[in-house]
Amino acid sequence: MILALTNATLVCPIGGITKGNLLIRDGVVVATGLVEIPADAQTIDCAGKTLAPGIVDLGVAKIDRAAFRAGGIVRVGLMPDQSPVLDDPGIVQRAALIGKPDLWIHPIAAATQALAGHDLAEMAVCLSAGARAVGTGKGWIADSGVMHRVLAYARDLDIAVVTHAEDGGLTAGAVATAGETATRLGLPAAPAIAEALAIARDLMLAEDTGARLHIRQVTTAASFDLIRAAKRRGVAVTCGITPAHLHLSDIAVSDFRSFAHLSPPLRSESDRQAALAAVADGTIDVICSAHDPRGPEEKRLPFADSSAGMAGAETLLPLALMLVRDERVTLSRLFALLSRNPAAVLGLDTGTLEVGKPADLLLFDDQAPWQITGDAFAASANNTPFDGLPVQGKVLRVWKGGREI
Amino acid sequence: MQRSDHRPATLIEGGAVFPHRHLTGIDGLQPHEIAFLLDEAETWVEANRTHATPDKRLAGLTQINAFFENSTRTLLSFEIAGKRLGADVVNMHAAQSSVKKGETLIDTAMTLNAMRADVIVIRHMASGAVRLIADKVDCPVLNAGDGRHEHPTQALLDALTIRRRRGSIAGQRVVICGDVLHSRVARSNILALTALAAEVRVCAPSTLMPAAIHKMGVTPFTDFDAALEGADVVMMLRLQNERMDGAYVPSTREYRMRYGLTLERLARAAPDALVMHPGPMNRGVEIDSAVADHARSAITEQVEMGVAVRMACLDVLTRRARGVEGWA
């Protein structure tokens, strides 16, 4: 049977923005645009609202189905720092299967055993169990020799290495970026160059090995300069960022707001401006939620004792749409950042509305206004640094493989 | 007795002079509010010296000193201040408390609150911890030091000492030297002294200097001799032992060579410069005994002012609850 989504504004990272219909058969997109609707098709009138590829959220810390559904997220790349760590085929396979059919979880397996940064993990075995990439988790591999071998080995397997870029020596014990806010509050802080320092090394190692490197969150001007230059040299590097680092600076930490305690920490206003420029010029490839719900037992603590992280899944789309409204990116490019590019990092042929691709779809009203209220979240915790912010853009319906969820 | 000229003439007497419920820091206080607390403290200095008729204005009130971090002098000072005013003072030491058993800070705060304290004095090792507790309890909270963040009563007692010895704070060139990075005393003093129009210089090796400290309105120095030129007040900070063995400075010997306050160094400051130290001192490291015991040293006077300042803060913060006229 054919499912016809009619009268939609179709947004495709490849095809651009068109008005028309989208036909689905057997969970696959079979036609788009001003196509005729078969008589026996089941029809859903989209009433002119926006139909886009479902969001692929690269690098979530927890499986939080309700939050992903509410945020229009149909696939997630799951961070390896789970309990137990994703370094064993049994654990990887379980993670890869438990979300189906509504949510497809693509595990990012640990690059080193137990994420300890010493011995190579069984990457190929984990791939066969369903992993789509390997990663360093929330940590950094301090030993350059180990990192070199991780990248070389991953290159053989043609998978991306997803890294967290902060030089551990500089960031040891730090919970904020060195600057006026951290100084006034008396918070342990690390200089922002901790990020560029880590990235400079990993770019050289990636260049030397020919490996694919994806830096999950890049947040400083110096880092963007390094990545821009590396891309020009042909290094296979991609990078991501969260809406928090695009819309907030370290001033949000004032009053010891632990909901603004993130890793990497919020940066200076000039770094935030550099991030906006890097989104606009194409240096940034992926926007992710870094969804990491943390309850009061981990957040209602003195700032330095609280856990880093934010519940970001439900606010990812409206906060990303602010970039379109501010004319930093076009709407179709936004869905390259939210869907197609993260899918490509994971080696998935999805994230567009092209014919033949999985019918992973998101219908949203890009105008609908609402106010972010942590207490009303579907997520398992309400730790958003954006609490109270008025936004526009509401998820209406979501399909995974042609099936509404 | 000296009165401050900072208070706006238009300000009515009573509670409007100091509208804050807690004292979590110097941050957020107006210059005239700081001056008001200093004026109030002045009256207690005289009373403490003359052993005048006891003034038990806090009689019947319960003051809990909740110290999550070890302290001798600050705890003693708050205890004496409370007892001089007639409060029932109870001390809670972290070592003896359920905090060790894993109770969260908020639960501890709720417990103290349920015991119907009338004022809680808190010291904690984490920056921002006191503000977190202040949001959860019904009574006034006094910050006795939170991590590297603030130590407001120390800044007030230092300001009072300077005002009494130098006549004024405005225009004084104050050098704060030592571990500025880890020091809540330095932060609160910077806020209080710059608010009262002093010229503040901070001096430390770069390993112990916070980034962007100049944004707080001070001039940073790494050369102590240069910082001391023409100083009216030299405030030394304590260097923790564990930071002297290579982590932040190579050795105590090298630290003393570059940042120890000796009589020879002090000669660079103004001839009548005041020497201060929040204690406890590392004699022979950041300060030589000859300087600490010098006539220009105000170190014991700081301790004396500490009791007066804490009496003033306890009195002012409980006025609303006690129904003092104009405050209730």
Side-chain angles (χ1 to χ4, degrees):
Chain A
M1 200 190 65
I2 285 184
L3 175 64
L5 308 182
T6 65
N7 188 22
T9 303
L10 304 168
V11 175
C12 175
I14 304 293
I17 300 173
T18 50
K19 300 270 181 193
N21 312 321
L22 183 143
L23 305 188
I24 303 167
R25 188 170 57 210
D26 298 331
V28 173
V29 176
V30 290
T32 60
L34 298 171
V35 291
E36 231 172 274
I37 307 205
D40 62 341
Q42 184 200 338
T43 306
I44 293 174
D45 184 356
C46 296
K49 299 289 190 271
T50 310
L51 190 64
I55 296 172
V56 181
D57 196 356
L58 182 52
V60 301
K62 272 188 194 149
I63 300 170
D64 192 354
R65 284 166 225 247
F68 297 139
R69 164 63 187 80
I73 295 161
V74 294
R75 295 170 188 256
V76 296
L78 180 65
M79 295 276 281
D81 353 36
Q82 306 295 313
S83 178
V85 171
L86 300 184
D87 65 352
D88 172 273
I91 299 158
V92 168
Q93 187 170 40
R94 179 178 172 277
L97 294 176
I98 52 172
K100 289 183 178 178
D102 294 354
L103 171 71
W104 282 27
I105 297 164
H106 303 289
I108 301 167
T112 57
Q113 291 173 30
L115 286 172
H118 300 304
D119 303 309
L120 297 185
E122 293 175 311
M123 298 185 202
V125 171
C126 289
L127 285 184
S128 70
R132 300 296 313 192
V134 294
T136 64
K138 292 175 184 172
W140 183 67
I141 294 179
D143 187 320
S144 304
V146 173
M147 190 61 186
H148 192 246
R149 293 191 287 278
V150 162
L151 287 162
Y153 198 82
R155 188 264 331 267
D156 293 349
L157 303 173
D158 193 25
I159 49 170
V161 177
V162 181
T163 62
H164 179 92
E166 282 189 293
D167 183 291
L170 280 174
T171 57
V175 294
T177 305
E180 185 181 353
T181 303
T183 293
R184 284 183 180 276
L185 296 181
L187 292 173
I193 53 155
E195 181 179 281
L197 204 55
I199 287 175
R201 183 200 72 172
D202 289 350
L203 285 173
M204 286 192 181
L205 295 175
E207 188 166 14
D208 187 59
T209 56
R212 282 165 54 200
L213 176 68
H214 176 74
I215 309 158
R216 197 165 56 89
Q217 298 183 64
V218 180
T219 58
T220 66
S223 306
F224 294 124
D225 289 344
L226 288 170
I227 292 167
R228 230 173 250 128
K231 283 185 168 183
R232 272 200 297 272
R233 292 199 305 275
V235 179
V237 59
T238 52
C239 69
I241 194 167
T242 71
H245 292 95
L246 288 166
H247 296 314
L248 300 174
S249 70
D250 62 354
I251 290 170
V253 171
S254 299
D255 287 332
F256 300 99
R257 288 180 60 209
S258 63
F259 281 8
H261 180 192
L262 308 176
S263 173
L266 290 171
R267 305 298 192 186
S268 68
E269 178 61 18
S270 60
D271 278 331
R272 186 182 83 87
Q273 293 297 334
L276 288 169
V279 161
D281 73 11
T283 306
I284 291 175
D285 305 278
V286 170
I287 298 178
C288 61
S289 76
H291 188 65
D292 195 356
R294 301 272 177 173
E297 58 281 0
E298 290 176 278
K299 283 292 192 183
R300 274 176 61 188
L301 295 171
F303 191 91
D305 298 340
S306 68
S307 300
M310 63 183 154
E314 287 155 83
T315 55
L316 178 57
L317 177 66
L319 293 171
L321 281 168
M322 286 165 75
L323 300 170
V324 178
R325 221 160 283 123
D326 294 345
E327 300 183 340
R328 307 268 180 193
V329 296
T330 63
L331 190 56
S332 50
R333 157 107 172 114
L334 184 69
F335 279 89
L337 291 157
L338 289 172
S339 305
R340 180 168 178 263
N341 295 350
V345 171
L346 294 170
L348 301 166
D349 191 15
T350 180
T352 73
L353 299 184
E354 293 170 294
V355 169
K357 298 293 160 68
D360 294 355
L361 303 168
L362 160 64
L363 184 69
F364 66 96
D365 181 342
D366 69 334
Q367 300 297 321
W370 60 290
Q371 189 173 20
I372 295 175
T373 311
D375 290 337
F377 272 6
S380 58
N382 66 355
N383 52 315
T384 172
F386 293 102
D387 203 27
L389 186 76
V391 289
Q392 277 179 281
K394 227 175 202 171
V395 173
L396 300 173
R397 304 174 82 155
V398 182
W399 292 267
K400 175 77 196 80
R403 223 181 109 259
E404 184 161 11
I405 55 172
Chain B
M1 193 181 71
Q2 202 185 339
R3 298 288 294 185
S4 156
D5 51 1
H6 279 90
R7 201 181 313 171
T10 51
L11 203 66
I12 52 161
E13 289 298 319
V17 177
F18 193 83
H20 307 279
R21 196 162 151 249
H22 308 293
L23 182 67
T24 57
I26 299 296
D27 187 25
L29 297 187
Q30 298 294 322
H32 70 264
E33 292 165 354
I34 298 170
F36 167 71
L37 292 175
L38 299 184
D39 292 348
E40 288 291 317
E42 285 276 9
T43 64
W44 296 112
V45 175
E46 304 307 324
N48 286 340
R49 281 190 181 167
T50 55
H51 296 280
T53 324
D55 181 339
K56 303 286 183 190
R57 59 179 71 185
L58 296 200
L61 300 193
T62 304
Q63 171 190 338
I64 300 183
N65 297 329
F67 277 56
F68 297 87
E69 189 183 69
N70 284 334
S71 158
T72 308
R73 54 181 62 214
T74 306
L75 176 60
L76 209 54
S77 183
F78 269 108
E79 184 169 358
I80 290 169
K83 284 182 169 162
R84 290 236 169 108
L85 292 171
D88 298 317
V89 184
V90 186
N91 294 331
M92 190 202 85
H93 303 276
Q96 304 162 0
S97 76
S98 49
V99 177
K100 288 247 156 147
K101 298 171 193 158
E103 186 176 67
T104 69
L105 187 58
I106 300 253
D107 287 338
T108 308
M110 302 301 269
T111 304
L112 297 178
N113 194 45
M115 290 174 183
R116 299 275 164 238
D118 296 294
V119 58
I120 302 180
V121 179
I122 299 166
R123 166 167 291 191
H124 196 279
M125 56 295 253
S127 303
V130 175
R131 209 178 284 186
L132 192 66
I133 295 176
D135 289 344
K136 301 289 168 201
V137 299
D138 301 318
C139 69
V141 167
L142 252 156
N143 184 358
D146 64 327
R148 313 176 182 183
H149 178 224
E150 283 227 43
H151 191 355
T153 55
Q154 179 71 44
L156 292 170
L157 74 89
D158 288 339
L160 184 60
T161 307
I162 296 171
R163 199 174 82 172
R164 287 172 62 94
R165 289 283 286 254
R166 306 284 309 176
S168 160
I169 291 166
Q172 296 289 307
R173 177 175 288 175
V174 183
V175 178
I176 302 175
C177 178
D179 183 358
V180 181
L181 179 65
H182 299 98
S183 176
R184 53 194 171 217
V185 174
R187 281 175 181 75
S188 285
N189 261 308
I190 288 168
L191 291 167
L193 295 172
T194 54
L196 298 175
E199 180 206 334
V200 181
R201 296 174 162 188
V202 292
C203 181
S206 292
T207 48
L208 291 172
M209 188 77 92
I213 190 75
H214 62 281
K215 294 268 177 73
M216 293 185 79
V218 300
T219 315
F221 284 81
T222 52
D223 179 348
F224 193 23
D225 291 328
L228 280 171
E229 290 297 337
D232 300 304
V233 178
V234 184
M235 196 182 280
M236 302 305 293
L237 300 172
R238 177 183 166 79
L239 186 63
Q240 303 287 334
N241 287 322
E242 62 269 26
R243 292 180 184 133
M244 288 190 281
D245 54 5
Y248 291 88
V249 293
S251 66
T252 52
R253 165 168 93 169
E254 181 156 331
Y255 186 79
R256 180 181 185 278
M257 189 182 96
R258 297 188 64 207
Y259 297 100
L261 187 60
T262 57
L263 278 179
E264 302 80 71
R265 272 220 168 92
L266 188 58
R268 295 176 176 272
D272 54 348
L274 200 61
V275 174
M276 301 174 72
H277 193 299
M281 288 182 277
N282 294 306
R283 285 175 181 260
V285 183
E286 74 259 9
I287 189 163
D288 272 15
S289 282
V291 178
D293 304 330
H294 198 274
R296 280 148 66 178
S297 162
I299 295 171
T300 49
E301 194 176 332
Q302 287 174 270
V303 179
E304 185 191 358
M305 294 307 117
V307 176
V309 155
R310 284 156 189 144
M311 289 170 81
C313 292
L314 290 167
D315 169 34
V316 168
L317 288 178
T318 55
R319 283 185 189 175
R320 237 162 243 109
R322 287 186 286 124
V324 173
E325 196 185 341
W327 290 74

